[in-house]
């Protein structure tokens, strides 16, 4: 192996993996006990610096991850995949191939187990630091950087938007809006009564408010990172699929959404902030999320172009949806109307409605048109509180960046 990197400098030091070094023997023993003899052989050669063996071990563990339903995959094979990713990333890092190293490490974070997660994140930090001295994007993104540097422009045609929304939108009861709502008023007027509310003027101090509308910033901190995205109208459609792409490619798809032959690409309900720590520093957990003495269950990102739709569904937890960049239309139905909204009988989709609000089948669902709902356009800098089990439909009206905070009461902390 050459001592000169691909960028002309001296070879950087190796990636340190203290957890892997400590747990490697026991992990390999467990893998062997589950029939992974070939993997153990490849992993041993990978640890000695054999790149082909490292790639072979990664392929073997990848096949195990796809041998059946995700919930049936043995945890040891997820850890095996993480181990192989670390070995492959070490090779790329040693050669100064930082983009390739980040891609492999992200795959380990997204698809791997928890045993080696600290090693994966510390390796990402080190590789990211090195790669900041290298051009963030390749030629595919140059037009994106050199044209409009804003993710969301100022243009917004309300007349055109209204034509895209479900029938009766914004004609009945709007979600109540409160400015800088106190914790006490939130508790008494909304949390205890399960009543949705828009909270304004609570995000001005978030760095994300300024940074996330700057494409150059997003490319710099996340351009080479690999993220899971959804492609297609929504998860209930037959043509819907999932892909793993770089964040820079994702931004390119957002900018060219109107001309995309594959349909909208949506980074939906992904723990992006666990994966990319720089973005996590740009947001803050709202104090409202500690109402009820519970704890935060998940913190997810929702990035996508105009036109992305999350069909009518409900979630098990209290939810604050913070609209950082762009606008969204949201319609909500009370939990008491669940039976009238015809949930899917299938276990996996029982929290989703069979009613397509964009094209209601009035013969199949004759009552839906007369059901009471509240709706709103959620503007930049506003937060929407969605109580547990409330049904909601969401449509992005512009390119959009949102963050959802799920939390539950202490006594129901084992729910979901």
């Amino acid at each position: 192996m050459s001592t000169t990197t691909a960028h002309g400098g001296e070879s950087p030091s190796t990636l340190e993996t203290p957890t892997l070094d400590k747990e490697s023997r026991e992990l390999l023993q467990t893998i062997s006990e589950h029939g992974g003899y070939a993997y153990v052989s490849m992993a041993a050669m990978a640890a000695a610096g054999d790149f082909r063996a490292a790639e072979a071990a990664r392929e073997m563990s990848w096949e195990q991850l796809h041998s059946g339903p995700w919930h049936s995959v043995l945890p040891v094979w997820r850890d095996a995949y993480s181990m192989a990713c670390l070995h492959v990333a070490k090779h790329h890092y040693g050669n100064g191939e930082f983009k390739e190293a980040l891609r492999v490490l992200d795959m380990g974070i997204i698809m791997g187990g928890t045993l080696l997660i600290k090693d994966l994140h510390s390796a990402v930090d080190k590789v990211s630091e090195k790669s900041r001295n290298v051009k963030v994007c390749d030629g595919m993104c140059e037009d994106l950087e050199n044209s409009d540097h804003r993710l969301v422009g100022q243009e917004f045609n309300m007349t055109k938007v209204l034509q895209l929304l479900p029938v009766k939108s914004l004609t009945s009861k709007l979600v109540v809006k409160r400015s800088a709502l106190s914790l006490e008023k939130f508790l008494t007027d909304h949390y205890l009564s399960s009543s949705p509310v828009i909270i304004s003027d609570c995000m001005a101090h978030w760095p994300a408010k300024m940074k996330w509308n700057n494409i150059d910033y997003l490319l710099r901190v996340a351009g080479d990172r690999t993220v899971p995205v959804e492609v297609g109208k929504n998860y209930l459609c037959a043509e819907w699929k999932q892909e793993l792409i770089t964040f820079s490619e994702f931004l390119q798809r957002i900018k060219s959404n109107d001309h995309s032959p594959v349909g909208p690409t949506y980074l939906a309900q992904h723990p992006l902030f666990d994966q990319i720590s720089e973005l996590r520093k740009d947001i803050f957990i709202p104090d409202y999320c500690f109402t009820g003495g519970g704890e935060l269950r998940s913190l997810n990102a929702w990035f996508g172009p105009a036109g992305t739709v999350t069909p009518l569904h409900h979630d098990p937890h209290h939810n604050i949806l913070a609209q950082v960049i762009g606008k969204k239309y949201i319609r909500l139905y009370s939990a008491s109307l669940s039976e009238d909204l015809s949930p899917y009988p299938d276990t996996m989709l029982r929290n989703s409605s069979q009613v397509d609000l964009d094209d209601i089948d009035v013969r199949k669902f004759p009552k839906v048109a007369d059901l009471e709902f509240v709706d709103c356009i959620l503007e930049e800098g506003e937060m929407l509180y969605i109580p547990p089990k409330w049904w909601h439909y969401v449509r992005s009206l512009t390119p959009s960046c949102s963050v959802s905070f799920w939390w539950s009461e202490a006594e129901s902390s084992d729910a979901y």
Side-chain angles (χ1 to χ4, degrees):
M1 183 183 298
S2 171
T3 58
T4 303
T5 73
H7 304 291
E10 292 301 310
S11 176
S13 60
T14 186
L15 294 175
E16 296 179 357
T17 53
T19 307
L20 176 60
D21 298 342
K22 179 182 178 182
E23 304 290 344
S24 179
R25 179 177 297 182
E26 184 174 346
L27 176 56
L28 290 173
Q29 176 63 36
T30 306
I31 294 170
S32 179
E33 292 171 356
H34 286 89
Y37 309 111
Y39 175 94
V40 171
S41 176
M42 291 297 103
M45 290 189 284
D50 189 325
F51 175 65
R52 291 185 178 180
E55 283 283 29
R58 193 161 71 108
E59 286 295 326
M60 291 176 187
S61 52
W62 179 261
E63 290 179 4
Q64 289 293 329
L65 297 185
H66 294 79
S67 61
W70 181 251
H71 63 81
S72 69
V73 176
L74 293 174
V76 67
W77 282 111
R78 299 180 192 176
D79 291 328
Y81 184 72
S82 297
M83 170 188 275
C85 286
L86 284 168
H87 287 314
V88 173
K90 283 184 177 183
H91 170 84
H92 288 309
Y93 183 76
N95 279 352
E97 299 161 349
F98 303 133
K99 288 180 64 173
E100 290 79 3
L102 281 174
R103 178 183 58 81
V104 172
L105 291 169
D106 275 326
M107 291 299 294
I109 292 171
I110 295 168
M111 302 295 293
T114 59
L115 179 65
L116 304 175
I117 196 69
K118 287 185 177 180
D119 283 358
L120 289 165
H121 280 299
S122 64
V124 163
D125 290 342
K126 190 169 186 177
V127 176
S128 296
E129 184 180 356
K130 290 284 186 180
S131 68
R132 294 199 201 290
N133 298 322
V134 181
K135 184 177 174 64
V136 173
C137 283
D138 54 23
M140 179 184 67
C141 291
E142 285 180 358
D143 61 319
L144 203 157
E145 284 191 278
N146 294 328
S147 56
D148 182 6
H149 291 249
R150 293 176 61 83
L151 186 64
V152 182
Q154 300 299 318
E155 306 82 12
F156 185 73
N157 188 324
M158 189 63 182
T159 302
K160 182 178 180 180
V161 164
L162 287 172
Q163 297 173 351
L164 301 174
L165 300 182
V167 293
K168 296 186 178 181
S169 293
L170 305 174
T171 63
S172 183
K173 187 177 180 181
L174 298 179
V175 179
V176 173
K177 185 179 295 190
R178 296 285 182 262
S179 175
L181 185 65
S182 71
L183 291 176
E184 181 181 0
K185 294 293 285 182
F186 173 73
L187 175 66
T188 58
D189 295 354
H190 301 283
Y191 181 90
L192 294 177
S193 61
S194 293
S195 176
V197 62
I198 294 173
I199 307 167
S200 58
D201 304 326
C202 286
M203 292 167 56
H205 62 297
W206 286 25
K209 281 280 292 148
M210 292 294 295
K211 291 182 176 181
W212 289 7
N213 203 22
N214 185 312
I215 290 176
D216 292 337
Y217 172 77
L218 294 175
L219 288 172
R220 181 172 63 81
V221 301
D224 290 335
R225 306 299 299 274
T226 296
V227 293
V229 296
E230 302 176 356
V231 181
K233 181 181 176 182
N234 63 62
Y235 64 84
L236 297 177
C237 297
E239 69 276 9
W240 178 87
K241 63 180 180 178
Q242 294 175 296
E243 295 181 3
L244 289 162
I245 61 176
T246 62
F247 202 82
S248 59
E249 182 180 349
F250 172 61
L251 291 175
Q252 177 67 41
R253 291 193 188 184
I254 290 179
K255 296 295 288 184
S256 61
N257 183 56
D258 292 341
H259 311 288
S260 173
V262 298
T265 298
Y266 198 13
L267 193 159
Q269 198 169 332
H270 175 55
L272 183 69
F273 312 107
D274 290 340
Q275 183 185 353
I276 305 178
S277 59
E278 291 91 340
L279 294 176
R280 176 64 181 84
K281 297 172 185 176
D282 294 337
I283 63 174
F284 299 95
I285 300 174
D287 290 342
Y288 306 105
C289 295
F290 301 103
T291 306
E295 57 184 274
L296 199 67
R297 287 291 161 197
S298 65
L299 194 168
N300 288 320
W302 307 77
F303 276 46
T308 55
V309 171
T310 302
L312 195 60
H313 72 288
H314 69 77
D315 301 311
H317 300 303
H318 297 273
N319 179 13
I320 280 187
L321 180 66
Q323 189 63 25
V324 184
I325 301 296
K327 305 173 187 282
K328 282 184 171 176
Y329 170 81
I330 303 172
R331 178 181 292 194
L332 304 106
Y333 292 86
S334 169
S336 63
L337 298 175
S338 290
E339 185 176 343
D340 293 324
L341 291 172
S342 303
Y344 279 91
D346 183 272
T347 302
M348 292 293 291
L349 294 174
R350 66 181 183 273
N351 73 324
S352 297
S353 171
Q354 297 179 65
V355 178
D356 181 358
L357 290 183
D358 292 317
D359 186 18
I360 299 176
D361 186 336
V362 294
R363 290 177 298 178
K364 189 174 181 181
F365 309 109
K367 296 181 180 180
V368 170
D370 296 322
L371 295 179
E372 182 177 332
F373 63 85
V374 294
D375 62 353
C376 67
I377 291 181
L378 194 64
E379 305 279 354
E380 281 190 14
E382 295 181 339
M383 300 177 181
L384 171 65
Y385 169 59
I386 305 174
K389 303 294 184 179
W390 270 66
W391 294 83
H392 47 288
Y393 161 100
V394 184
R395 173 183 282 270
S396 296
L397 306 181
T398 67
S400 170
C401 306
S402 312
V403 182
S404 62
F405 301 85
W406 280 11
W407 81 98
S408 56
E409 297 95 338
E411 61 268 23
S412 62
S413 61
D414 58 345
Y416 197 63

